[in-house]
Structures are given as C-alpha cells and as structure tokens.
Amino acid sequence: MILCDIGNSTYHFLIEGKDKRYLLDEELPKFDDEIYFVSVNDRGSKKLIKSNPQAKNIEKLMKFETEYKGLGIDRALACYFEKNCIVVDAGSAITVDIMDEKHSGGFILPGCKAYMNTYPKISKKLNFDFDININLDKIPLQTKDAISYAMMKSIILPIKEVSKDRKIIFTGGDGELFSKYFENSVYKKDLIFMNMKRIIDANNCIA
Amino acid sequence: MILCDIGNSTYHFLIEGKDKRYLLDEELPKFDDEIYFVSVNDRGSKKLIKSNPQAKNIEKLMKFETEYKGLGIDRALACYFEKNCIVVDAGSAITVDIMDEKHSGGFILPGCKAYMNTYPKISKKLNFDFDININLDKIPLQTKDAISYAMMKSIILPIKEVSKDRKIIFTGGDGELFSKYFENSVYKKDLIFMNMKRIIDANNCIA
C-alpha cells in the first residue's frame, strides 16, 4: 500500500515505510501497488490519477466536524483523531488548529522559508542567513539576530498564547524545530500518514 | 527649513509642515530652502545632494550609544530622546527597539505589506484581502480570518512580550493601527522629523 499527501508544491509519498517527494511538475512513476491519497490540489490529484488510475482519494471516507469554512483536507486529517489539544503543521505555511471536543478553528502563519524570502524583499540590508537556534532570551544586538529572533518569536508566541496549558502536536518539516520551544509538545513526523492508515483500516477498504 | 528622511523605498520630506513623498527613482525638485536629511540609503543621499547641493546630512551631529552593530540611523533617530520605553517604527519593516538608560537592542518584524505579499506566494488559496480590524479574541473560522489573525498576533505578541509594563512609542505608516492594541502606548506620527528638529536646534546649525 502506497500513501500520498498532495500539497501545494509536492507529492509526498510513503512507499514501503519510506518518504519520497516529487515536485508537482515532475513526472510520476507508474506504481503497481494500491495508492490512497489526500490532496489540497485538484491539478495534482488529476495528474496522479492519470498516471496511476488505481489511486483512491480517501477524503470521502472522512467525517470531520468543524464550523471552519474551507478547511484544507490535510489540516482535517492532522487533527482527525485528536481532542483537547493544538495541532501545528509547520511546512510552507504553519497551520495551527485548536481541537476541543471538536475542531474550534485555527490560524495560518507564514512558514520559515516564507519569512526568509520576505526580508530581503523589504531591503537588501535584511538579506542574511537565518539562525534558527538564536537565543530567544537575549534582545538582539545585530541585524542578523534581529530578524532571526523576530521570525522565531512571531511564530512561537501566537502558538503559545492559543495553547494555554494544552498539549501541542507538531508535524511538518519544521515541526521538530518548533516543538523544542514547548514543554507540553510532541513531534509526530508522519502524523498525516499515520492518520491516513487509521482511516483506511477503520473503513476496511484494503482489498 | 525642509527635512528629509531617506528610506529604502522613498524620500519622505517635511516641507512647511506638510508631508511629501517621492519614490527613490523619481526626479527630485530643486528647492530654495535649507535641507537637512538622514538616510539609510547611500544612493538616495547622493541623488538628493546632486539635485540640492545645500542638503546637509545631520547624522554627524548625532551621538547615539548602543552595542547594536549596524543600527539604521532612522532607528537611532526615533529612539534618540527616549528612555525606559519601547520604540516601534511600523513601516515596510517593523523595527522594535528597547530603550533602557541607553539602547539595549531590538528586533525587526516584516511590515504588514510584506505579510500580505507573502501568503499568496505560499499558495493561491491564501490570496485574500486582509482584515486589519479582525477580532483577536476569537479563533478564526475561515481562511481569510485565519491569515489576518495570524499576521496581527505575530506582530503584536512579540512587542507585548518585550515591552512588559513599559511605555511604547509607535511611529510609521502602520503605527497608529498597532498602537490601539497597547494600553500603555502613544502614536507619534512625526517622531523622526520632531527629533531631527530637536537635534538641529540643539546644535544651532540653522544658518
């Protein structure tokens, strides 16, 4: 069984327990196995089905209760089995979702790469390599630190404020980095794939 | 007497009490009055002096004590007469400077416009008009609100954390907007020009 999470910029496959990414414009292989996928990207879905007609979208198997209008299926999937916690997917955007008894809403911060791309566009003088291990207990004394500190604080503090004392589950490429700043946190690298498997198993749809 | 603050993207003049902006690439008028300026932009300074050879850079009149390496002259000028407070210049970037007995450092957030430009580059689905009057006491229930909320929180919370109970002085194009979120704040629209005048007067350099 192959799983695939189709995002805004990549196909993220889990093939025999291993990650494999393809850019949306790349040619996809023809797989022999069953493929189950979720997608926030219609064009990406169509292309996968064209190259692999056996691929099945599991979105229709999901029942996710929320008043949020237009919640991406990847966010719903990350939150799917959680209660009374915060779910943070730190990728190209950083989605922060609040799970009480059900989904209570959320917000979307720019991802680290988006921050890093933004500063040099404001001024050439703000073109530095970021230091993601910057000391956040010390007010910066140079511009390189001033932008790294601001980026980290502007991501960490809104998550901290909304989380109160609740557990925080991090996933996504920068999830491990940010989980270190929260005592009550766990990092689940493959949260999306884990939850896809649980949904597929629960629906007994493996041939 | 004409004052001019040369930034990363514009010449900002104060002429007979009125603001006048020119883009850096625009042709500048030939003025008859004395001109005093500060600049974070060498090319901008040279162009002003070329069109108005009487223009005088007041940077050499300033003595500003800090351990911060490479502090822009506009940030030093905004903080120049302040003590035991936070100075926030909310423009294309949002500079946040901590003044104890002397300048203790600071950090640089992206400005609102930079945030607004960033989201659509992450995904077309994040291309919304921002609502700067978003209710920050309510977790967002749609994507438009989710990005407005995140932008406002990611700017407000780092300023709140560093300010503790100290007074906050806001200036810059978005300074008035953000000052509303802080009880212990004032908005000084013309802080830079006010301080330029005080420095010029103190140095008695008006012919």
Side-chain angles (χ1 to χ4, degrees):
Chain A
M1 175 171 60
I2 292 171
L3 301 177
C4 182
D5 174 16
I6 308 177
N8 291 310
S9 52
T10 58
Y11 293 93
H12 185 190
F13 284 97
L14 189 74
I15 305 171
E16 294 179 5
K18 283 181 187 160
D19 288 301
K20 174 78 186 165
R21 286 174 193 275
Y22 293 88
L23 292 174
L24 282 182
D25 292 334
E26 265 182 280
E27 197 175 331
L28 294 173
K30 171 83 190 81
F31 296 103
D32 293 326
D33 292 303
E34 289 274 30
I35 301 174
Y36 298 94
F37 71 96
V38 289
S39 175
V40 294
N41 188 312
D42 288 341
R43 197 169 61 84
S45 308
K46 280 176 193 155
K47 185 175 159 182
L48 175 63
I49 290 169
K50 195 169 178 190
S51 62
N52 287 272
Q54 81 277 30
K56 287 175 192 157
N57 190 335
I58 68 160
E59 185 169 350
K60 60 183 177 301
L61 303 179
M62 291 171 61
K63 283 171 196 160
F64 189 75
E65 202 184 338
T66 182
E67 288 170 40
Y68 190 105
K69 286 174 202 156
L71 190 76
I73 192 69
D74 48 350
R75 287 171 69 185
L77 188 55
C79 294
Y80 204 71
F81 296 102
E82 307 298 340
K83 269 188 185 179
N84 303 314
C85 69
I86 312 300
V87 179
V88 180
D89 189 344
S92 56
I94 299 174
T95 56
V96 181
D97 284 287
I98 291 84
M99 288 299 296
D100 294 311
E101 283 304 304
K102 64 181 185 76
H103 183 254
S104 303
F107 55 90
I108 307 172
L109 293 156
C112 287
K113 200 177 157 203
Y115 272 93
M116 292 176 190
N117 289 338
T118 291
Y119 281 101
K121 281 183 195 131
I122 300 171
S123 164
K124 282 178 205 165
K125 289 180 184 169
L126 300 178
N127 193 357
F128 288 96
D129 288 333
F130 278 70
D131 177 6
I132 54 170
N133 296 310
I134 181 95
N135 180 350
L136 295 180
D137 296 322
K138 198 174 165 296
I139 304 297
L141 287 173
Q142 57 178 329
T143 300
K144 177 186 194 318
D145 295 344
I147 59 178
S148 301
Y149 175 101
M151 176 184 84
M152 296 302 288
K153 286 283 186 185
S154 72
I155 293 169
I156 290 168
L157 292 178
I159 298 173
K160 200 153 260 174
E161 188 192 55
V162 88
S163 73
K164 291 164 191 153
D165 288 331
R166 285 176 287 193
K167 181 175 154 187
I168 310 171
I169 300 168
F170 284 90
T171 190
D174 291 320
E176 193 169 16
L177 166 68
F178 285 108
S179 70
K180 291 175 188 163
Y181 292 94
F182 297 85
E183 275 183 25
N184 50 343
S185 74
V186 288
Y187 169 60
K188 295 187 180 176
K189 180 175 173 286
D190 287 324
L191 180 62
I192 296 281
F193 290 137
M194 280 161 50
N195 289 355
M196 285 179 74
K197 271 187 201 155
R198 282 177 73 172
I199 290 166
I200 295 163
D201 289 348
N203 281 275
N204 218 359
C205 60
I206 299 171
Chain B
M1 175 171 64
I2 292 171
L3 301 178
C4 182
D5 174 15
I6 308 177
N8 291 311
S9 52
T10 58
Y11 293 92
H12 185 190
F13 284 96
L14 189 76
I15 304 170
E16 294 178 4
K18 282 180 188 160
D19 287 299
K20 175 77 186 163
R21 286 175 193 271
Y22 294 88
L23 293 174
L24 281 183
D25 291 334
E26 267 183 281
E27 197 175 333
L28 295 173
K30 172 80 193 83
F31 297 103
D32 291 328
D33 293 302
E34 289 274 32
I35 302 173
Y36 298 93
F37 71 95
V38 288
S39 175
V40 294
N41 187 310
D42 288 341
R43 197 169 61 87
S45 308
K46 280 178 193 155
K47 185 174 159 183
L48 175 63
I49 291 169
K50 195 169 178 189
S51 61
N52 288 272
Q54 81 277 28
K56 285 174 192 159
N57 190 333
I58 69 160
E59 184 169 349
K60 61 185 176 297
L61 303 179
M62 292 171 60
K63 281 170 198 162
F64 188 75
E65 203 183 336
T66 182
E67 286 171 42
Y68 190 106
K69 285 174 202 159
L71 189 77
I73 193 70
D74 48 350
R75 286 170 70 184
L77 189 55
C79 294
Y80 203 73
F81 296 104
E82 307 299 339
K83 269 186 185 180
N84 303 315
C85 70
I86 312 299
V87 179
V88 179
D89 189 343
S92 55
I94 299 175
T95 56
V96 181
D97 284 287
I98 290 85
M99 290 300 296
D100 294 309
E101 283 304 301
K102 63 181 186 78
H103 183 255
S104 303
F107 56 90
I108 308 171
L109 292 155
C112 287
K113 202 177 156 205
Y115 271 94
M116 292 173 190
N117 290 338
T118 291
Y119 281 102
K121 281 183 197 134
I122 299 172
S123 164
K124 281 178 204 163
K125 290 181 184 166
L126 300 178
N127 193 358
F128 288 97
D129 288 334
F130 278 71
D131 177 5
I132 55 169
N133 296 311
I134 178 96
N135 180 351
L136 296 181
D137 296 323
K138 198 173 164 300
I139 304 296
L141 286 173
Q142 57 177 330
T143 301
K144 179 187 192 317
D145 296 343
I147 60 177
S148 301
Y149 175 101
M151 177 184 82
M152 296 302 286
K153 286 284 187 185
S154 72
I155 294 170
I156 289 167
L157 293 179
I159 298 172
K160 200 151 260 175
E161 187 191 55
V162 86
S163 73
K164 291 164 194 159
D165 288 330
R166 285 176 288 193
K167 181 175 154 187
I168 310 173
I169 300 167
F170 283 90
T171 190
D174 292 318
E176 194 168 16
L177 164 68
F178 286 107
S179 71
K180 290 173 187 163
Y181 293 94
F182 297 85
E183 277 184 23
N184 51 341
S185 74
V186 289
Y187 170 60
K188 296 186 178 177
K189 179 175 173 289
D190 287 324
L191 180 63
I192 296 279
F193 290 139
M194 280 161 51
N195 289 355
M196 285 179 74
K197 271 187 199 153
R198 282 176 74 172
I199 290 166
I200 294 161
D201 289 349
N203 283 276
N204 218 359
C205 60
I206 301 167

